[in-house]
Coordinates of all heavy atoms in Angstrom, one line a residue:
Y122 N -6.4 -13.0 13.9 CA -6.8 -12.3 15.1 C -8.1 -11.6 14.9 O -9.1 -11.7 15.7 CB -5.7 -11.4 15.5 CG -5.8 -10.6 16.8 CD1 -6.8 -10.8 17.7 CD2 -4.8 -9.7 17.2 CE1 -6.9 -10.2 18.9 CE2 -4.9 -9.0 18.3 CZ -5.9 -9.2 19.2 OH -6.0 -8.5 20.4
A123 N -8.2 -10.8 13.8 CA -9.4 -10.1 13.5 C -10.6 -11.0 13.3 O -11.7 -10.8 13.8 CB -9.2 -9.2 12.2
R124 N -10.4 -12.1 12.6 CA -11.5 -13.1 12.4 C -12.0 -13.7 13.7 O -13.2 -13.9 13.9 CB -11.0 -14.2 11.4 CG -10.9 -13.8 10.0 CD -10.2 -14.8 9.2 NE -9.9 -14.4 7.8 CZ -10.8 -14.5 6.8 NH1 -12.0 -15.1 7.0 NH2 -10.5 -14.1 5.6
S125 N -11.0 -13.9 14.6 CA -11.4 -14.5 15.9 C -12.2 -13.6 16.7 O -13.0 -14.0 17.6 CB -10.1 -14.9 16.7 OG -9.5 -13.7 17.2
R126 N -12.1 -12.3 16.5 CA -12.9 -11.2 17.2 C -14.1 -10.7 16.4 O -14.8 -9.9 16.8 CB -12.0 -10.0 17.5 CG -10.8 -10.4 18.4 CD -11.2 -11.1 19.7 NE -10.1 -11.2 20.7 CZ -9.4 -12.3 20.9 NH1 -9.6 -13.4 20.1 NH2 -8.4 -12.4 21.7
K127 N -14.3 -11.3 15.2 CA -15.4 -11.0 14.3 C -15.4 -9.5 14.0 O -16.4 -8.8 14.1 CB -16.7 -11.5 14.9 CG -16.8 -13.0 14.9 CD -18.1 -13.5 15.4 CE -18.3 -15.0 15.2 NZ -17.1 -15.8 15.7
K128 N -14.2 -9.0 13.6 CA -14.1 -7.6 13.2 C -13.2 -7.5 12.0 O -12.2 -8.3 11.9 CB -13.4 -6.7 14.3 CG -14.2 -6.6 15.6 CD -13.5 -5.8 16.6 CE -14.2 -5.6 17.9 NZ -13.5 -4.8 18.9
P129 N -13.5 -6.6 11.0 CA -12.5 -6.3 10.0 C -11.2 -5.8 10.7 O -11.2 -5.2 11.8 CB -13.1 -5.3 9.1 CG -14.2 -4.7 9.9 CD -14.6 -5.7 10.9
L130 N -10.0 -6.0 10.1 CA -8.8 -5.7 10.7 C -8.7 -4.3 11.2 O -8.2 -4.0 12.3 CB -7.6 -6.0 9.7 CG -6.2 -5.9 10.1 CD1 -5.6 -4.5 10.1 CD2 -5.9 -6.6 11.4
W131 N -9.1 -3.3 10.4 CA -9.0 -1.9 10.8 C -9.8 -1.7 12.1 O -9.3 -0.9 13.0 CB -9.5 -1.0 9.7 CG -11.0 -1.0 9.5 CD1 -11.7 -1.8 8.5 CD2 -12.0 -0.3 10.2 NE1 -13.0 -1.6 8.6 CE2 -13.3 -0.7 9.6 CE3 -12.0 0.6 11.2 CZ2 -14.5 -0.2 10.1 CZ3 -13.2 1.2 11.7 CH2 -14.4 0.8 11.1
K132 N -11.0 -2.3 12.2 CA -11.8 -2.1 13.4 C -11.2 -2.7 14.6 O -11.3 -2.2 15.7 CB -13.2 -2.7 13.1 CG -14.2 -2.5 14.3 CD -14.5 -1.1 14.6 CE -15.6 -1.0 15.6 NZ -15.8 0.4 16.2
L133 N -10.6 -3.9 14.4 CA -9.9 -4.5 15.5 C -8.9 -3.6 16.1 O -8.8 -3.4 17.4 CB -9.2 -5.8 15.0 CG -8.2 -6.5 16.0 CD1 -9.0 -7.3 17.0 CD2 -7.2 -7.4 15.3
V134 N -8.1 -2.9 15.3 CA -7.0 -2.1 15.8 C -7.5 -0.8 16.3 O -7.0 -0.3 17.4 CB -5.9 -1.9 14.7 CG1 -4.8 -1.0 15.2 CG2 -5.3 -3.2 14.2
V135 N -8.4 -0.1 15.7 CA -8.9 1.2 16.2 C -9.6 1.0 17.5 O -9.7 2.0 18.3 CB -9.7 1.9 15.2 CG1 -8.9 2.2 13.9 CG2 -11.1 1.3 14.9
D136 N -10.1 -0.2 17.8 CA -10.8 -0.4 19.1 C -9.8 -0.7 20.2 O -10.1 -0.8 21.4 CB -11.8 -1.6 19.0 CG -13.1 -1.2 18.3 OD1 -13.3 0.0 18.1 OD2 -13.9 -2.1 17.9
F137 N -8.5 -0.9 19.8 CA -7.4 -1.1 20.8 C -7.3 0.2 21.7 O -7.6 1.3 21.3 CB -6.1 -1.3 20.2 CG -5.8 -2.7 19.6 CD1 -4.6 -3.0 19.0 CD2 -6.7 -3.7 19.8 CE1 -4.3 -4.2 18.5 CE2 -6.5 -5.0 19.3 CZ -5.3 -5.2 18.6
T138 N -6.9 0.0 22.9 CA -6.5 1.1 23.7 C -5.1 1.7 23.2 O -4.4 0.9 22.4 CB -6.2 0.7 25.2 OG1 -5.2 -0.2 25.3 CG2 -7.5 0.1 25.8
P139 N -4.7 2.9 23.5 CA -3.4 3.4 23.1 C -2.3 2.4 23.5 O -1.4 2.2 22.7 CB -3.3 4.7 23.7 CG -4.7 5.2 23.8 CD -5.5 4.0 24.1
E140 N -2.4 1.9 24.7 CA -1.4 1.0 25.2 C -1.3 -0.3 24.3 O -0.2 -0.8 24.1 CB -1.7 0.6 26.7 CG -1.5 1.7 27.7 CD -2.7 2.7 27.8 OE1 -3.7 2.5 27.0 OE2 -2.6 3.7 28.5
E141 N -2.5 -0.8 23.9 CA -2.4 -2.0 23.1 C -1.8 -1.7 21.7 O -1.1 -2.6 21.1 CB -3.9 -2.5 22.9 CG -4.4 -3.2 24.1 CD -5.9 -3.6 24.0 OE1 -6.7 -2.7 23.5 OE2 -6.3 -4.7 24.4
I142 N -2.1 -0.5 21.1 CA -1.5 -0.2 19.8 C 0.0 -0.1 20.0 O 0.8 -0.7 19.1 CB -2.1 1.1 19.3 CG1 -3.5 0.9 18.9 CG2 -1.3 1.6 18.0 CD1 -4.2 2.2 18.4
V143 N 0.5 0.5 21.0 CA 1.9 0.6 21.2 C 2.6 -0.8 21.4 O 3.6 -1.1 20.8 CB 2.2 1.5 22.4 CG1 3.7 1.4 22.8 CG2 1.9 3.0 22.1
R144 N 1.9 -1.6 22.1 CA 2.4 -2.9 22.4 C 2.4 -3.8 21.1 O 3.2 -4.8 21.0 CB 1.6 -3.6 23.5 CG 2.2 -4.8 24.1 CD 1.6 -5.3 25.4 NE 0.2 -5.7 25.3 CZ -0.8 -5.1 25.8 NH1 -0.6 -4.0 26.6 NH2 -2.0 -5.6 25.7
S145 N 1.6 -3.4 20.2 CA 1.5 -4.2 18.9 C 2.5 -3.9 17.9 O 2.6 -4.6 16.9 CB 0.1 -4.1 18.3 OG -0.9 -4.6 19.2
A146 N 3.2 -2.8 18.0 CA 4.1 -2.3 17.0 C 5.5 -2.9 17.2 O 5.8 -3.5 18.2 CB 4.2 -0.7 17.1
A147 N 6.4 -2.7 16.2 CA 7.8 -3.1 16.2 C 8.6 -1.9 16.6 O 8.6 -0.9 16.0 CB 8.2 -3.6 14.8
W148 N 9.4 -2.1 17.6 CA 10.1 -0.9 18.2 C 11.6 -0.9 18.1 O 12.2 0.1 18.3 CB 9.7 -0.8 19.7 CG 8.3 -0.3 19.8 CD1 7.1 -1.0 20.0 CD2 7.9 1.1 19.6 NE1 6.0 -0.1 20.0 CE2 6.5 1.1 19.7 CE3 8.6 2.3 19.3 CZ2 5.7 2.3 19.6 CZ3 7.8 3.5 19.2 CH2 6.4 3.5 19.3
R149 N 12.2 -2.0 17.9 CA 13.7 -2.1 17.9 C 14.2 -1.1 16.8 O 13.7 -1.1 15.7 CB 14.2 -3.5 17.7 CG 15.7 -3.6 17.7 CD 16.2 -5.0 17.5 NE 16.1 -5.7 18.8 CZ 16.5 -7.0 18.9 NH1 17.0 -7.7 17.9 NH2 16.4 -7.6 20.0
Y150 N 15.3 -0.4 17.2 CA 16.0 0.5 16.3 C 15.4 1.9 15.9 O 15.9 2.6 15.1 CB 16.4 -0.2 14.9 CG 17.1 -1.5 15.0 CD1 16.6 -2.6 14.3 CD2 18.2 -1.7 15.9 CE1 17.3 -3.8 14.3 CE2 18.8 -2.9 16.0 CZ 18.3 -4.0 15.2 OH 19.0 -5.2 15.3
I151 N 14.2 2.2 16.5 CA 13.6 3.5 16.1 C 13.4 4.5 17.3 O 12.8 5.5 17.1 CB 12.3 3.3 15.4 CG1 11.3 2.6 16.3 CG2 12.5 2.5 14.1 CD1 9.8 2.6 15.8
S152 N 14.0 4.2 18.4 CA 13.8 5.0 19.6 C 14.4 6.4 19.5 O 14.0 7.3 20.2 CB 14.3 4.4 20.9 OG 15.7 4.1 20.8
D153 N 15.4 6.6 18.5 CA 15.9 7.9 18.3 C 15.0 8.8 17.5 O 15.2 10.0 17.3 CB 17.3 7.8 17.6 CG 17.3 6.9 16.3 OD1 16.5 6.0 16.3 OD2 18.0 7.3 15.4
A154 N 13.9 8.2 16.9 CA 13.0 8.9 16.1 C 11.7 9.1 16.9 O 11.0 10.1 16.8 CB 12.7 8.2 14.8
I155 N 11.3 8.1 17.6 CA 10.0 8.1 18.4 C 10.2 7.1 19.5 O 10.6 6.0 19.3 CB 8.8 7.8 17.5 CG1 7.5 8.1 18.4 CG2 8.8 6.4 17.0 CD1 6.2 8.1 17.5
T156 N 9.8 7.5 20.7 CA 9.8 6.6 21.8 C 8.4 6.0 22.1 O 7.4 6.6 21.6 CB 10.3 7.2 23.1 OG1 9.3 8.3 23.5 CG2 11.7 7.9 22.9
K157 N 8.3 4.9 22.8 CA 7.0 4.4 23.1 C 6.2 5.4 23.9 O 5.0 5.5 23.7 CB 7.2 3.1 24.0 CG 7.7 1.9 23.2 CD 7.8 0.7 24.1 CE 8.5 -0.5 23.3 NZ 8.6 -1.7 24.2
E158 N 6.8 6.2 24.8 CA 6.1 7.2 25.6 C 5.6 8.3 24.7 O 4.4 8.7 24.9 CB 7.1 7.8 26.6 CG 7.6 6.8 27.7 CD 8.6 5.8 27.2 OE1 9.2 6.0 26.2 OE2 8.6 4.7 27.9
E159 N 6.3 8.7 23.7 CA 5.8 9.7 22.8 C 4.6 9.2 22.0 O 3.6 9.9 21.8 CB 6.9 10.1 21.8 CG 8.0 11.0 22.4 CD 9.1 11.3 21.4 OE1 9.6 10.3 20.7 OE2 9.5 12.5 21.3
A160 N 4.8 8.0 21.5 CA 3.7 7.4 20.8 C 2.4 7.3 21.6 O 1.3 7.6 21.1 CB 4.1 6.0 20.3
L161 N 2.6 6.9 22.8 CA 1.4 6.7 23.7 C 0.7 8.1 24.0 O -0.5 8.2 23.9 CB 1.9 6.1 25.1 CG 0.8 5.7 26.0 CD1 -0.1 4.6 25.4 CD2 1.4 5.2 27.3
A162 N 1.5 9.1 24.1 CA 1.0 10.4 24.3 C 0.2 10.9 23.1 O -0.9 11.5 23.2 CB 2.1 11.4 24.7
M163 N 0.8 10.6 21.9 CA 0.1 11.0 20.7 C -1.2 10.3 20.5 O -2.3 10.9 20.2 CB 1.0 10.6 19.5 CG 2.1 11.6 19.2 SD 3.3 10.9 18.0 CE 2.2 10.1 16.8
L164 N -1.2 9.0 20.8 CA -2.5 8.2 20.6 C -3.5 8.6 21.6 O -4.7 8.7 21.3 CB -2.1 6.7 20.8 CG -1.3 6.1 19.7 CD1 -0.7 4.7 20.2 CD2 -2.1 5.9 18.4
K165 N -3.1 8.9 22.9 CA -4.1 9.4 23.9 C -4.7 10.7 23.5 O -5.9 11.0 23.7 CB -3.4 9.5 25.2 CG -3.1 8.1 25.9 CD -2.6 8.2 27.3 CE -2.4 6.8 27.9 NZ -1.9 6.9 29.3
E166 N -3.9 11.6 22.8 CA -4.4 12.9 22.4 C -5.5 12.7 21.3 O -6.4 13.5 21.2 CB -3.2 13.7 21.8 CG -3.6 15.1 21.5 CD -2.4 15.8 20.9 OE1 -1.3 15.5 21.3 OE2 -2.6 16.7 20.0
K167 N -5.4 11.6 20.5 CA -6.3 11.4 19.5 C -7.5 10.6 19.9 O -8.5 10.4 19.1 CB -5.6 10.6 18.3 CG -4.6 11.4 17.6 CD -5.2 12.6 16.9 CE -4.2 13.4 16.0 NZ -3.1 14.0 16.7
E168 N -7.5 10.1 21.1 CA -8.6 9.2 21.6 C -10.0 9.9 21.5 O -11.0 9.3 21.1 CB -8.4 8.8 23.1 CG -7.5 7.6 23.2 CD -8.2 6.3 23.0 OE1 -8.9 5.8 23.9 OE2 -8.2 5.8 21.8
A169 N -10.0 11.2 21.9 CA -11.3 11.8 22.0 C -12.1 11.8 20.8 O -13.4 11.7 20.8 CB -11.1 13.3 22.5
G170 N -11.5 12.0 19.6 CA -12.3 12.1 18.4 C -12.4 10.9 17.6 O -12.9 10.9 16.4
K171 N -12.0 9.7 18.1 CA -12.0 8.5 17.3 C -13.3 8.1 16.8 O -13.5 7.7 15.6 CB -11.4 7.3 18.2 CG -9.9 7.2 18.1 CD -9.3 6.2 19.1 CE -9.7 4.8 18.8 NZ -9.0 3.9 19.7
K172 N -14.3 8.2 17.7 CA -15.7 7.7 17.3 C -16.2 8.6 16.1 O -16.8 8.1 15.2 CB -16.6 7.7 18.5 CG -17.9 7.0 18.2 CD -17.7 5.5 18.0 CE -19.0 4.8 17.6 NZ -18.8 3.4 17.2

Side-chain angles (χ1 to χ4, degrees):
Y122 188 4
R124 289 169 183 271
S125 75
R126 300 306 191 259
K127 293 183 170 50
K128 296 179 180 182
L130 187 278
W131 70 267
K132 180 64 171 168
L133 173 79
V134 177
V135 301
D136 284 349
F137 281 179
T138 64
E140 289 82 2
E141 287 173 317
I142 292 177
V143 169
R144 196 163 65 243
S145 297
W148 285 100
R149 180 177 283 183
Y150 306 134
I151 62 171
S152 61
D153 54 325
I155 188 171
T156 64
K157 292 181 181 180
E158 292 74 23
E159 287 175 314
L161 190 59
M163 283 169 40
L164 292 166
K165 287 184 174 179
E166 186 182 330
K167 294 293 188 294
E168 274 282 275
K171 273 171 64 173
K172 192 64 185 172

